[in-house]
Amino acid sequence: MRTICFYFQVHQPLRIKPYRFFDIGDDHYYWDDYSNKSIMRKVAQKCYLPMNALLLDLINHYNGAFKVSFSISGVCLDQFEAYAPDVLESFKKLVATGHVELLSETDGHALCALKSKDEFTRMVKTHKEKIKKHFDGYEPRVFRNTELIYSDSIGATVAEMGYEGILTEGAKHILGWKSPNYVYQNSIKPELKVLLKNFQLSDDIAFRFSNKTWADYPLTTDKFVRWINNIPKEEETLNLFMDYETFGEHQWADSGIFEFMRALPNAVFNGSDFGFSTPSEVLKGAKMISTIHVPTPISWADEERDLTAWLGNDLQDEAFGKLYELEEKVKQIDDAEIQRDWVYLQTSDHFYYMCTKFFSDGDIHAYFSPYDSPYDAFINYMNVLSDFILRVDKRIKEKNAK
């Protein structure tokens, strides 16, 4: 039987409060607690709680034949603890069914894989410990990096950490004529299996579902099943990867997105030769067809599927560079608040808000940003970073003076 692998990214950043130049050296708390709590509770009511309840119903109704997987960022887990313990409990109920897989990632939903192998491996270990703590000793075996960022060398590092597989984007410029509907292997560490997102069918749900100007609107389960039946029979794995906030937040409830998901398993079981599997089950059951070569990092963001959503313009590069200049100093400091802020300041969203792209991708960036412009995002972040640098330097001086 061919299989559908659903993967959902669950992430909410800790947003920085308005932080003025005159706050530098005086105010050392950077986080907008009111906004973070308000947004978390809003998304919980619109997405997390109703969608978790729906998935639990489907898993129970189909006796485990319906399965999904999640990666939940560490910064999101921290906010569940603080603002939405009911959401955390609902995820625990899903995992307890035995038919939901949790994936590893970086604790801070960070871009550290692009800059520091040490920081990357440290953050992955921290995230792994958080998953263990919250989910009764659960140990993920499959990895997905922040925003599905992947390259041959990142994959090799992930393999060294003992993971069986990794998820990434089925980018056209990497695949060429190949299909994303197979299992591939890393070019440096061939024991690491690579699952690729089918971005066409994933984005039909995640981005186009409620778009009334889309030629295929409205998307029904019957139509979707017809499409997957058109996939060549030898292509055994359909990877549908998307933000979990697709359900109820990006695609509102009145679009019919919840009804679509509730009806999809029945349509698949009765109208196709597909079933559902978790990433680990896919990796166990499917054979690798070939090596995939990704010398330059890819991601699942924007039209280019590269890193330009977060890095590449002068604002992003200056902020990113200044932040990671602090790594060696921060390692020497035994201070819980500095270590916390170090992790949260690495969250990729801060750099995403500084993106200066225009046209369609620019619209998407503006939708997610709490700032009026990328320049406001940069100024606010750099003010905070300036204060953080002062704190770090002060602690290093105190340490050296002992």
Side-chain angles (χ1 to χ4, degrees):
M1 179 184 286
R2 298 192 290 171
T3 195
I4 293 171
C5 180
F6 264 118
Y7 153 71
F8 303 121
Q9 171 183 285
V10 186
H11 170 63
Q12 289 295 325
L14 269 174
R15 295 155 189 86
I16 296 172
K17 68 185 181 183
Y19 193 93
R20 303 169 303 159
F21 174 80
F22 299 104
D23 294 324
I24 299 171
D26 183 48
D27 182 0
H28 305 317
Y29 190 78
Y30 312 136
W31 313 107
D32 191 339
D33 292 340
Y34 177 79
S35 289
N36 290 322
K37 181 177 181 179
S38 299
I39 291 169
M40 175 56 74
R41 289 310 316 175
K42 181 193 76 166
V43 179
Q45 296 303 320
K46 292 179 69 175
C47 170
Y48 300 146
L49 291 173
M51 192 60 184
N52 282 2
L54 188 154
L55 293 180
L56 187 60
D57 286 347
L58 290 174
I59 290 167
N60 290 332
H61 180 76
Y62 292 104
N63 296 315
F66 177 73
K67 304 170 185 184
V68 298
S69 61
F70 294 98
S71 66
I72 309 174
S73 70
V75 67
C76 197
L77 284 169
D78 293 347
Q79 291 183 82
F80 287 164
E81 273 196 293
Y83 308 133
D86 50 343
V87 172
L88 186 56
E89 285 303 313
S90 68
F91 275 109
K92 288 180 181 179
K93 287 180 182 177
L94 281 171
V95 175
T97 66
H99 304 293
V100 169
E101 180 168 8
L102 295 178
L103 310 183
S104 272
E105 65 159 272
T106 59
D107 183 39
H109 198 78
L111 303 173
C112 47
L114 304 170
K115 192 70 174 179
S116 167
K117 184 175 180 179
D118 285 347
E119 182 64 13
F120 178 55
T121 54
R122 187 193 69 80
M123 267 215 195
V124 173
K125 289 175 183 175
T126 304
H127 181 264
K128 194 172 184 179
E129 288 304 312
K130 280 186 183 176
I131 293 293
K132 241 185 205 181
K133 180 183 87 169
H134 289 301
F135 296 95
D136 296 325
Y138 189 103
E139 290 199 44
R141 294 177 294 172
V142 178
F143 188 81
R144 80 105 214 182
N145 196 21
T146 304
E147 306 297 339
L148 295 192
I149 292 171
Y150 173 82
S151 68
D152 296 333
S153 59
I154 291 172
T157 300
V158 169
E160 289 168 6
M161 287 190 280
Y163 291 96
E164 300 171 4
I166 190 169
L167 277 57
T168 190
E169 174 70 27
K172 281 184 180 178
H173 66 280
I174 294 298
L175 281 171
W177 57 267
K178 296 177 181 177
S179 167
N181 305 325
Y182 292 105
V183 178
Y184 292 86
Q185 61 188 31
N186 177 264
S187 64
I188 300 172
K189 298 279 188 177
E191 66 270 23
L192 184 79
K193 300 175 182 178
V194 184
L195 292 180
L196 303 178
K197 171 186 165 188
N198 183 310
F199 69 82
Q200 180 67 48
L201 290 171
S202 296
D203 293 354
D204 286 341
I205 298 172
F207 293 111
R208 290 182 279 274
F209 186 85
S210 61
N211 182 2
K212 294 182 179 179
T213 65
W214 178 34
D216 289 302
Y217 179 88
L219 179 58
T220 64
T221 55
D222 288 343
K223 187 182 294 183
F224 196 79
V225 167
R226 284 203 305 272
W227 292 346
I228 67 174
N229 283 335
N230 288 332
I231 294 173
K233 292 293 183 184
E234 63 273 15
E235 299 182 14
E236 297 181 346
T237 303
L238 172 59
N239 298 313
L240 300 177
F241 301 165
M242 62 198 73
D243 285 334
Y244 199 39
E245 295 80 12
T246 293
F247 303 96
E249 175 67 10
H250 305 160
Q251 307 294 339
W252 290 1
D254 61 10
S255 70
I257 191 71
F258 289 108
E259 289 79 5
F260 174 85
M261 263 318 275
R262 186 175 292 280
L264 185 61
N266 184 63
V268 168
F269 289 135
N270 291 325
S272 77
D273 61 349
F274 279 87
F276 295 90
S277 299
T278 63
S280 287
E281 290 172 338
V282 173
L283 297 179
K284 185 177 180 182
K287 55 185 178 183
M288 293 180 284
I289 191 168
S290 70
T291 297
I292 184 167
H293 296 275
V294 188
T296 303
I298 58 174
S299 77
W300 70 353
D302 298 347
E303 287 294 323
E304 299 89 349
R305 303 306 204 262
D306 59 11
L307 303 180
T308 53
W310 307 276
L311 298 173
N313 70 35
D314 290 343
L315 308 179
Q316 294 166 322
D317 292 348
E318 181 176 349
F320 192 70
K322 289 286 186 186
L323 176 67
Y324 280 97
E325 284 176 4
L326 297 171
E327 181 186 352
E328 292 306 315
K329 291 181 179 179
V330 171
K331 283 181 183 177
Q332 302 174 46
I333 299 172
D334 183 16
D335 182 293
E337 290 187 358
I338 282 180
Q339 294 299 328
R340 174 202 65 196
D341 292 344
W342 168 244
V343 171
Y344 292 161
L345 285 171
Q346 292 184 65
T347 300
S348 64
D349 302 69
H350 304 311
F351 306 98
Y352 188 86
Y353 303 148
M354 300 176 199
C355 186
T356 52
K357 288 184 180 182
F358 298 100
F359 306 115
S360 60
D361 286 340
D363 291 340
I364 293 171
H365 286 257
Y367 171 80
F368 287 109
S369 179
Y371 299 97
D372 291 333
S373 76
Y375 307 98
D376 291 335
F378 172 75
I379 291 168
N380 206 54
Y381 184 85
M382 293 305 289
N383 285 343
V384 165
L385 189 58
S386 295
D387 183 79
F388 186 68
I389 290 170
L390 291 176
R391 289 167 62 201
V392 168
D393 286 344
K394 181 182 177 182
R395 293 304 302 271
I396 289 294
K397 285 180 183 177
E398 290 172 350
K399 184 176 183 290
N400 292 338
K402 289 180 181 179

PDB file of all heavy atoms in Angstrom, residues 260-285:
ATOM      1  N   PHE A 260     -12.845  19.536   5.756  1.00  0.00           N
ATOM      2  CA  PHE A 260     -12.011  18.868   4.761  1.00  0.00           C
ATOM      3  C   PHE A 260     -11.127  17.812   5.424  1.00  0.00           C
ATOM      4  O   PHE A 260     -11.059  16.658   4.974  1.00  0.00           O
ATOM      5  CB  PHE A 260     -11.148  19.894   4.033  1.00  0.00           C
ATOM      6  CG  PHE A 260     -10.138  19.303   3.084  1.00  0.00           C
ATOM      7  CD1 PHE A 260     -10.486  18.973   1.787  1.00  0.00           C
ATOM      8  CD2 PHE A 260      -8.822  19.072   3.493  1.00  0.00           C
ATOM      9  CE1 PHE A 260      -9.557  18.409   0.904  1.00  0.00           C
ATOM     10  CE2 PHE A 260      -7.889  18.523   2.620  1.00  0.00           C
ATOM     11  CZ  PHE A 260      -8.260  18.195   1.337  1.00  0.00           C
ATOM     12  N   MET A 261     -10.453  18.206   6.518  1.00  0.00           N
ATOM     13  CA  MET A 261      -9.560  17.257   7.190  1.00  0.00           C
ATOM     14  C   MET A 261     -10.332  16.106   7.815  1.00  0.00           C
ATOM     15  O   MET A 261      -9.884  14.963   7.800  1.00  0.00           O
ATOM     16  CB  MET A 261      -8.751  17.964   8.266  1.00  0.00           C
ATOM     17  CG  MET A 261      -7.351  18.390   7.871  1.00  0.00           C
ATOM     18  SD  MET A 261      -6.367  17.232   6.918  1.00  0.00           S
ATOM     19  CE  MET A 261      -5.664  16.221   8.188  1.00  0.00           C
ATOM     20  N   ARG A 262     -11.506  16.394   8.359  1.00  0.00           N
ATOM     21  CA  ARG A 262     -12.293  15.333   8.983  1.00  0.00           C
ATOM     22  C   ARG A 262     -12.727  14.293   7.954  1.00  0.00           C
ATOM     23  O   ARG A 262     -12.786  13.098   8.241  1.00  0.00           O
ATOM     24  CB  ARG A 262     -13.521  15.920   9.684  1.00  0.00           C
ATOM     25  CG  ARG A 262     -14.297  14.876  10.488  1.00  0.00           C
ATOM     26  CD  ARG A 262     -15.440  15.507  11.260  1.00  0.00           C
ATOM     27  NE  ARG A 262     -14.992  16.379  12.331  1.00  0.00           N
ATOM     28  CZ  ARG A 262     -14.580  15.952  13.519  1.00  0.00           C
ATOM     29  NH1 ARG A 262     -14.542  14.647  13.783  1.00  0.00           N
ATOM     30  NH2 ARG A 262     -14.200  16.811  14.445  1.00  0.00           N
ATOM     31  N   ALA A 263     -13.012  14.747   6.736  1.00  0.00           N
ATOM     32  CA  ALA A 263     -13.501  13.838   5.701  1.00  0.00           C
ATOM     33  C   ALA A 263     -12.386  13.174   4.898  1.00  0.00           C
ATOM     34  O   ALA A 263     -12.624  12.168   4.215  1.00  0.00           O
ATOM     35  CB  ALA A 263     -14.424  14.604   4.740  1.00  0.00           C
ATOM     36  N   LEU A 264     -11.172  13.707   4.976  1.00  0.00           N
ATOM     37  CA  LEU A 264     -10.092  13.221   4.109  1.00  0.00           C
ATOM     38  C   LEU A 264      -9.724  11.752   4.337  1.00  0.00           C
ATOM     39  O   LEU A 264      -9.592  11.002   3.352  1.00  0.00           O
ATOM     40  CB  LEU A 264      -8.853  14.109   4.260  1.00  0.00           C
ATOM     41  CG  LEU A 264      -7.690  13.782   3.313  1.00  0.00           C
ATOM     42  CD1 LEU A 264      -8.109  13.932   1.853  1.00  0.00           C
ATOM     43  CD2 LEU A 264      -6.472  14.667   3.620  1.00  0.00           C
ATOM     44  N   PRO A 265      -9.540  11.290   5.573  1.00  0.00           N
ATOM     45  CA  PRO A 265      -9.156   9.880   5.732  1.00  0.00           C
ATOM     46  C   PRO A 265     -10.149   8.913   5.103  1.00  0.00           C
ATOM     47  O   PRO A 265      -9.741   7.955   4.431  1.00  0.00           O
ATOM     48  CB  PRO A 265      -9.093   9.704   7.258  1.00  0.00           C
ATOM     49  CG  PRO A 265      -8.807  11.053   7.783  1.00  0.00           C
ATOM     50  CD  PRO A 265      -9.547  11.996   6.876  1.00  0.00           C
ATOM     51  N   ASN A 266     -11.430   9.142   5.298  1.00  0.00           N
ATOM     52  CA  ASN A 266     -12.437   8.257   4.707  1.00  0.00           C
ATOM     53  C   ASN A 266     -12.349   8.263   3.190  1.00  0.00           C
ATOM     54  O   ASN A 266     -12.436   7.211   2.538  1.00  0.00           O
ATOM     55  CB  ASN A 266     -13.832   8.684   5.155  1.00  0.00           C
ATOM     56  CG  ASN A 266     -14.907   7.729   4.649  1.00  0.00           C
ATOM     57  OD1 ASN A 266     -14.925   6.565   5.007  1.00  0.00           O
ATOM     58  ND2 ASN A 266     -15.798   8.234   3.809  1.00  0.00           N
ATOM     59  N   ALA A 267     -12.152   9.453   2.603  1.00  0.00           N
ATOM     60  CA  ALA A 267     -12.036   9.555   1.150  1.00  0.00           C
ATOM     61  C   ALA A 267     -10.805   8.814   0.642  1.00  0.00           C
ATOM     62  O   ALA A 267     -10.841   8.149  -0.400  1.00  0.00           O
ATOM     63  CB  ALA A 267     -11.984  11.028   0.732  1.00  0.00           C
ATOM     64  N   VAL A 268      -9.700   8.915   1.398  1.00  0.00           N
ATOM     65  CA  VAL A 268      -8.466   8.230   1.002  1.00  0.00           C
ATOM     66  C   VAL A 268      -8.625   6.714   1.123  1.00  0.00           C
ATOM     67  O   VAL A 268      -8.270   5.960   0.197  1.00  0.00           O
ATOM     68  CB  VAL A 268      -7.286   8.724   1.877  1.00  0.00           C
ATOM     69  CG1 VAL A 268      -6.062   7.821   1.687  1.00  0.00           C
ATOM     70  CG2 VAL A 268      -6.939  10.165   1.534  1.00  0.00           C
ATOM     71  N   PHE A 269      -9.154   6.254   2.239  1.00  0.00           N
ATOM     72  CA  PHE A 269      -9.313   4.808   2.455  1.00  0.00           C
ATOM     73  C   PHE A 269     -10.260   4.173   1.439  1.00  0.00           C
ATOM     74  O   PHE A 269     -10.021   3.062   0.963  1.00  0.00           O
ATOM     75  CB  PHE A 269      -9.821   4.532   3.869  1.00  0.00           C
ATOM     76  CG  PHE A 269      -8.802   4.790   4.948  1.00  0.00           C
ATOM     77  CD1 PHE A 269      -9.156   5.483   6.094  1.00  0.00           C
ATOM     78  CD2 PHE A 269      -7.488   4.345   4.820  1.00  0.00           C
ATOM     79  CE1 PHE A 269      -8.222   5.727   7.099  1.00  0.00           C
ATOM     80  CE2 PHE A 269      -6.551   4.578   5.812  1.00  0.00           C
ATOM     81  CZ  PHE A 269      -6.918   5.274   6.953  1.00  0.00           C
ATOM     82  N   ASN A 270     -11.318   4.877   1.098  1.00  0.00           N
ATOM     83  CA  ASN A 270     -12.340   4.301   0.208  1.00  0.00           C
ATOM     84  C   ASN A 270     -12.114   4.570  -1.264  1.00  0.00           C
ATOM     85  O   ASN A 270     -12.690   3.878  -2.108  1.00  0.00           O
ATOM     86  CB  ASN A 270     -13.734   4.818   0.601  1.00  0.00           C
ATOM     87  CG  ASN A 270     -14.188   4.263   1.930  1.00  0.00           C
ATOM     88  OD1 ASN A 270     -13.895   3.122   2.261  1.00  0.00           O
ATOM     89  ND2 ASN A 270     -14.894   5.077   2.706  1.00  0.00           N
ATOM     90  N   GLY A 271     -11.261   5.584  -1.571  1.00  0.00           N
ATOM     91  CA  GLY A 271     -11.127   5.968  -2.969  1.00  0.00           C
ATOM     92  C   GLY A 271      -9.741   5.826  -3.549  1.00  0.00           C
ATOM     93  O   GLY A 271      -9.501   6.236  -4.694  1.00  0.00           O
ATOM     94  N   SER A 272      -8.807   5.250  -2.795  1.00  0.00           N
ATOM     95  CA  SER A 272      -7.434   5.146  -3.293  1.00  0.00           C
ATOM     96  C   SER A 272      -6.743   3.939  -2.674  1.00  0.00           C
ATOM     97  O   SER A 272      -7.296   3.258  -1.810  1.00  0.00           O
ATOM     98  CB  SER A 272      -6.644   6.420  -2.937  1.00  0.00           C
ATOM     99  OG  SER A 272      -6.257   6.409  -1.579  1.00  0.00           O
ATOM    100  N   ASP A 273      -5.506   3.694  -3.122  1.00  0.00           N
ATOM    101  CA  ASP A 273      -4.708   2.629  -2.515  1.00  0.00           C
ATOM    102  C   ASP A 273      -3.688   3.205  -1.537  1.00  0.00           C
ATOM    103  O   ASP A 273      -2.679   2.567  -1.216  1.00  0.00           O
ATOM    104  CB  ASP A 273      -4.002   1.797  -3.587  1.00  0.00           C
ATOM    105  CG  ASP A 273      -3.034   2.607  -4.445  1.00  0.00           C
ATOM    106  OD1 ASP A 273      -3.060   3.860  -4.355  1.00  0.00           O
ATOM    107  OD2 ASP A 273      -2.260   1.996  -5.205  1.00  0.00           O
ATOM    108  N   PHE A 274      -3.949   4.414  -1.042  1.00  0.00           N
ATOM    109  CA  PHE A 274      -3.084   5.056  -0.059  1.00  0.00           C
ATOM    110  C   PHE A 274      -3.576   4.773   1.354  1.00  0.00           C
ATOM    111  O   PHE A 274      -4.778   4.643   1.601  1.00  0.00           O
ATOM    112  CB  PHE A 274      -3.065   6.579  -0.263  1.00  0.00           C
ATOM    113  CG  PHE A 274      -2.151   7.050  -1.355  1.00  0.00           C
ATOM    114  CD1 PHE A 274      -2.595   7.122  -2.666  1.00  0.00           C
ATOM    115  CD2 PHE A 274      -0.846   7.433  -1.075  1.00  0.00           C
ATOM    116  CE1 PHE A 274      -1.767   7.571  -3.685  1.00  0.00           C
ATOM    117  CE2 PHE A 274      -0.004   7.878  -2.084  1.00  0.00           C
ATOM    118  CZ  PHE A 274      -0.461   7.946  -3.389  1.00  0.00           C
ATOM    119  N   GLY A 275      -2.612   4.706   2.287  1.00  0.00           N
ATOM    120  CA  GLY A 275      -2.906   4.720   3.705  1.00  0.00           C
ATOM    121  C   GLY A 275      -2.175   5.888   4.325  1.00  0.00           C
ATOM    122  O   GLY A 275      -1.805   6.840   3.631  1.00  0.00           O
ATOM    123  N   PHE A 276      -1.927   5.833   5.624  1.00  0.00           N
ATOM    124  CA  PHE A 276      -1.224   6.906   6.326  1.00  0.00           C
ATOM    125  C   PHE A 276      -0.106   6.311   7.166  1.00  0.00           C
ATOM    126  O   PHE A 276      -0.267   5.237   7.747  1.00  0.00           O
ATOM    127  CB  PHE A 276      -2.188   7.688   7.222  1.00  0.00           C
ATOM    128  CG  PHE A 276      -3.251   8.432   6.462  1.00  0.00           C
ATOM    129  CD1 PHE A 276      -4.470   7.820   6.167  1.00  0.00           C
ATOM    130  CD2 PHE A 276      -3.039   9.732   6.031  1.00  0.00           C
ATOM    131  CE1 PHE A 276      -5.452   8.487   5.457  1.00  0.00           C
ATOM    132  CE2 PHE A 276      -4.020  10.414   5.325  1.00  0.00           C
ATOM    133  CZ  PHE A 276      -5.228   9.789   5.033  1.00  0.00           C
ATOM    134  N   SER A 277       1.021   7.012   7.223  1.00  0.00           N
ATOM    135  CA  SER A 277       2.171   6.558   8.004  1.00  0.00           C
ATOM    136  C   SER A 277       2.858   7.739   8.662  1.00  0.00           C
ATOM    137  O   SER A 277       2.767   8.878   8.183  1.00  0.00           O
ATOM    138  CB  SER A 277       3.197   5.836   7.124  1.00  0.00           C
ATOM    139  OG  SER A 277       2.645   4.694   6.516  1.00  0.00           O
ATOM    140  N   THR A 278       3.569   7.462   9.750  1.00  0.00           N
ATOM    141  CA  THR A 278       4.455   8.457  10.346  1.00  0.00           C
ATOM    142  C   THR A 278       5.793   8.427   9.602  1.00  0.00           C
ATOM    143  O   THR A 278       6.092   7.462   8.879  1.00  0.00           O
ATOM    144  CB  THR A 278       4.697   8.151  11.827  1.00  0.00           C
ATOM    145  OG1 THR A 278       5.372   6.890  11.937  1.00  0.00           O
ATOM    146  CG2 THR A 278       3.379   8.106  12.599  1.00  0.00           C
ATOM    147  N   PRO A 279       6.621   9.473   9.756  1.00  0.00           N
ATOM    148  CA  PRO A 279       7.924   9.457   9.081  1.00  0.00           C
ATOM    149  C   PRO A 279       8.765   8.222   9.395  1.00  0.00           C
ATOM    150  O   PRO A 279       9.369   7.635   8.490  1.00  0.00           O
ATOM    151  CB  PRO A 279       8.592  10.739   9.591  1.00  0.00           C
ATOM    152  CG  PRO A 279       7.456  11.663   9.853  1.00  0.00           C
ATOM    153  CD  PRO A 279       6.366  10.784  10.396  1.00  0.00           C
ATOM    154  N   SER A 280       8.788   7.791  10.658  1.00  0.00           N
ATOM    155  CA  SER A 280       9.578   6.600  11.010  1.00  0.00           C
ATOM    156  C   SER A 280       9.087   5.361  10.279  1.00  0.00           C
ATOM    157  O   SER A 280       9.879   4.524   9.837  1.00  0.00           O
ATOM    158  CB  SER A 280       9.541   6.355  12.518  1.00  0.00           C
ATOM    159  OG  SER A 280      10.315   7.304  13.203  1.00  0.00           O
ATOM    160  N   GLU A 281       7.775   5.242  10.155  1.00  0.00           N
ATOM    161  CA  GLU A 281       7.202   4.097   9.442  1.00  0.00           C
ATOM    162  C   GLU A 281       7.535   4.149   7.962  1.00  0.00           C
ATOM    163  O   GLU A 281       7.815   3.106   7.342  1.00  0.00           O
ATOM    164  CB  GLU A 281       5.691   4.063   9.653  1.00  0.00           C
ATOM    165  CG  GLU A 281       5.283   3.689  11.070  1.00  0.00           C
ATOM    166  CD  GLU A 281       3.800   3.842  11.316  1.00  0.00           C
ATOM    167  OE1 GLU A 281       3.143   4.609  10.573  1.00  0.00           O
ATOM    168  OE2 GLU A 281       3.291   3.213  12.257  1.00  0.00           O
ATOM    169  N   VAL A 282       7.533   5.346   7.390  1.00  0.00           N
ATOM    170  CA  VAL A 282       7.915   5.485   5.977  1.00  0.00           C
ATOM    171  C   VAL A 282       9.360   5.043   5.787  1.00  0.00           C
ATOM    172  O   VAL A 282       9.690   4.274   4.870  1.00  0.00           O
ATOM    173  CB  VAL A 282       7.731   6.939   5.500  1.00  0.00           C
ATOM    174  CG1 VAL A 282       8.301   7.105   4.085  1.00  0.00           C
ATOM    175  CG2 VAL A 282       6.261   7.333   5.513  1.00  0.00           C
ATOM    176  N   LEU A 283      10.232   5.525   6.663  1.00  0.00           N
ATOM    177  CA  LEU A 283      11.653   5.204   6.545  1.00  0.00           C
ATOM    178  C   LEU A 283      11.915   3.717   6.721  1.00  0.00           C
ATOM    179  O   LEU A 283      12.814   3.154   6.095  1.00  0.00           O
ATOM    180  CB  LEU A 283      12.455   6.002   7.575  1.00  0.00           C
ATOM    181  CG  LEU A 283      12.405   7.525   7.424  1.00  0.00           C
ATOM    182  CD1 LEU A 283      13.219   8.191   8.514  1.00  0.00           C
ATOM    183  CD2 LEU A 283      12.891   7.966   6.049  1.00  0.00           C
ATOM    184  N   LYS A 284      11.130   3.097   7.573  1.00  0.00           N
ATOM    185  CA  LYS A 284      11.291   1.667   7.820  1.00  0.00           C
ATOM    186  C   LYS A 284      10.794   0.833   6.652  1.00  0.00           C
ATOM    187  O   LYS A 284      11.377  -0.205   6.298  1.00  0.00           O
ATOM    188  CB  LYS A 284      10.539   1.276   9.095  1.00  0.00           C
ATOM    189  CG  LYS A 284      10.729  -0.162   9.511  1.00  0.00           C
ATOM    190  CD  LYS A 284       9.999  -0.445  10.824  1.00  0.00           C
ATOM    191  CE  LYS A 284      10.170  -1.892  11.258  1.00  0.00           C
ATOM    192  NZ  LYS A 284       9.426  -2.176  12.518  1.00  0.00           N
ATOM    193  N   GLY A 285       9.704   1.280   6.013  1.00  0.00           N
ATOM    194  CA  GLY A 285       9.062   0.449   5.008  1.00  0.00           C
ATOM    195  C   GLY A 285       9.487   0.688   3.577  1.00  0.00           C
ATOM    196  O   GLY A 285       9.361  -0.197   2.736  1.00  0.00           O
TER     197      GLY A 285
END
